[in-house]
C-alpha cells in the first residue's frame, strides 16, 4: 500500500502563514506494477482531493464513497452535496467535479456555495477565500468565460497581495494564470481592469519568483518560458 503524508510548513516570508507539503511513499511492489502495467494509483488520480490538513483521509474517502454509492451524478446527489456546511468538504467536491469529472457547471455551483460559507466564516481576506476565487476563475476560463475569469483571478490576486504581500510565490502563480487567461481570450491588446496584456503579467510573475525563490528555481524557468511564448505570438 502507498503511504501519504501531509507536512505542515511555516512560510518564512510572512508571519503566521503555513502551507502543506504532500509526501507520497510508494510501496515497492505497487510502484513496480505501475511501471509494468500502467496501473492507476488512486492517490494520484484524486491528489487534489487528499491534499490539505483541513480534512482527514478517512473523511475524504467517506465523501468519495458517497459518490460511488450514488452511482451517478444527478440533482439528488447535488442537493445532498450543497446541503453540507463545511467549506473545506465542499471545496474538495468542487475540485473533484472540476479536475476529475470535468463537470464545470456543477463545479461552479459548488464553488459558489463554498465562497458564501467562507466569507461568513473566515472572511473575504483569507487564503482559503483567495483559493476559491482562483479556482472559480480557472473553471470560468475552461468554459470560455474569459471576462468573468479575469475578474475572479483579479479578486484572488487582490486578496493574496493583502494576505501574503505583493512578493510571494502565491501571487506569482495567480499572475501567471492571469497571463494564460489573457492569451486564451485571444485579444492581448485591450486593457481590462488592471491588466495590460499577458506579457506584463508574466514579467511581474518572473520578478516575484526571482526575488522569492532565486534565479535557479524551476518556477523561474517556467516564467521565462511563458514570456518567450508570449513574445512569439
Amino acid at each position: 500500500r502507498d503511504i501519504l503524508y501531509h507536512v505542515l510548513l511555516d512560510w518564512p516570508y510572512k508571519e503566521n502563514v503555513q502551507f502543506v507539503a504532500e509526501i507520497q511513499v510508494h510501496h515497492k511492489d505497487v510502484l513496480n506494477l505501475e511501471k509494468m502495467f500502467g496501473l492507476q494509483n488512486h492517490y494520484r488520480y484524486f491528489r487534489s482531493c487528499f491534499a490539505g490538513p483541513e480534512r482527514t483521509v478517512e473523511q475524504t474517502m467517506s465523501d468519495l464513497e458517497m459518490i460511488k454509492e450514488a452511482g451517478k451524478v444527478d440533482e439528488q446527489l447535488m442537493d445532498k452535496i450543497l446541503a453540507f456546511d463545511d467549506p473545506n468538504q465542499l471545496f474538495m467536491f468542487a475540485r473533484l467535479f472540476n479536475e476529475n469529472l470535468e463537470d464545470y457547471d456543477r463545479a461552479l455551483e459548488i464553488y459558489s456555495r463554498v465562497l458564501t460559507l467562507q466569507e461568513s466564516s473566515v472572511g473575504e481576506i483569507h487564503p482559503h477565500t483567495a483559493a476559491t476565487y482562483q479556482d472559480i476563475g480557472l473553471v470560468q476560463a475552461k468554459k470560455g468565460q474569459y471576462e468573468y475569469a479575469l475578474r475572479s483571478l483579479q479578486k484572488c490576486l487582490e486578496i493574496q497581495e493583502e494576505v501574503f504581500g505583493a512578493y510571494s510565490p502565491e501571487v506569482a502563480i495567480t499572475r501567471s494564470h492571469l497571463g494564460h487567461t489573457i492569451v486564451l481570450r485571444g485579444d492581448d491588446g485591450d486593457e481590462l481592469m488592471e491588466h495590460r496584456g499577458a506579457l506584463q503579467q508574466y514579467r511581474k510573475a518572473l520578478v516575484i519568483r526571482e526575488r522569492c525563490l532565486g534565479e535557479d528555481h524551476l518556477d523561474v524557468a517556467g516564467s521565462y518560458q511563458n514570456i518567450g511564448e508570449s513574445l512569439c505570438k
Side-chain angles (χ1 to χ4, degrees):
R1 301 283 311 261
D2 288 356
I3 302 175
L4 191 70
Y5 295 95
H6 291 132
V7 182
L8 195 62
L9 302 174
D10 291 324
W11 183 242
Y13 300 101
K14 192 173 181 65
E15 190 176 356
N16 298 324
V17 176
Q18 294 177 315
F19 291 90
V20 175
E22 179 186 285
I23 303 174
Q24 185 175 3
V25 180
H26 291 279
H27 188 283
K28 183 178 179 181
D29 292 340
V30 174
L31 184 60
N32 288 337
L33 285 173
E34 287 185 353
K35 289 180 177 178
M36 291 174 61
F37 302 109
L39 298 179
Q40 191 173 59
N41 180 288
H42 66 283
Y43 275 141
R44 184 176 302 147
Y45 184 74
F46 294 112
R47 180 171 298 276
S48 62
C49 300
F50 285 97
E54 290 81 14
R55 291 179 61 75
T56 66
V57 172
E58 289 79 8
Q59 288 174 317
T60 301
M61 290 297 290
S62 177
D63 291 336
L64 295 175
E65 184 66 23
M66 182 191 75
I67 294 180
K68 179 182 177 183
E69 290 178 355
K72 62 179 180 179
V73 177
D74 55 16
E75 293 309 311
Q76 183 177 356
L77 177 62
M78 283 296 296
D79 289 342
K80 188 173 182 179
I81 291 173
L82 291 171
F84 293 129
D85 57 5
D86 181 352
N88 297 314
Q89 181 184 25
L90 285 166
F91 191 82
M92 184 281 296
F93 280 119
R95 282 213 163 162
L96 178 66
F97 277 79
N98 172 20
E99 298 178 3
N100 302 101
L101 300 180
E102 298 182 352
D103 190 337
Y104 303 130
D105 290 330
R106 287 191 169 108
L108 285 176
E109 189 176 358
I110 300 172
Y111 278 128
S112 178
R113 169 74 170 149
V114 172
L115 200 56
T116 299
L117 292 170
Q118 287 175 332
E119 290 179 339
S120 63
S121 57
V122 298
E124 182 179 283
I125 309 303
H126 193 277
H128 291 177
T129 309
T132 301
Y133 272 112
Q134 184 178 91
D135 277 17
I136 289 173
L138 295 178
V139 174
Q140 289 167 330
K142 290 176 183 178
K143 287 172 57 65
Q145 300 173 346
Y146 301 122
E147 306 303 317
Y148 289 112
L150 288 170
R151 286 179 170 83
S152 296
L153 291 171
Q154 178 68 33
K155 184 66 175 179
C156 170
L157 180 67
E158 292 169 358
I159 296 172
Q160 287 178 332
E161 287 185 331
E162 188 163 348
V163 173
F164 303 118
Y167 290 91
S168 75
E170 295 297 315
V171 169
I173 289 172
T174 302
R175 288 201 176 278
S176 295
H177 286 319
L178 282 165
H180 297 332
T181 304
I182 293 170
V183 170
L184 288 172
R185 189 183 58 178
D187 183 4
D188 201 6
D190 293 340
E191 292 187 9
L192 175 64
M193 297 178 297
E194 297 181 9
H195 317 303
R196 293 182 181 176
L199 186 58
Q200 180 181 1
Q201 296 299 331
Y202 291 147
R203 283 174 171 164
K204 286 184 177 181
L206 173 63
V207 170
I208 294 169
R209 285 170 169 164
E210 286 184 329
R211 178 169 171 174
C212 294
L213 306 173
E215 295 182 355
D216 296 330
H217 197 279
L218 286 175
D219 286 350
V220 172
S223 287
Y224 274 113
Q225 182 177 7
N226 289 336
I227 291 171
E229 291 176 350
S230 182
L231 290 170
C232 289
K233 293 184 181 298

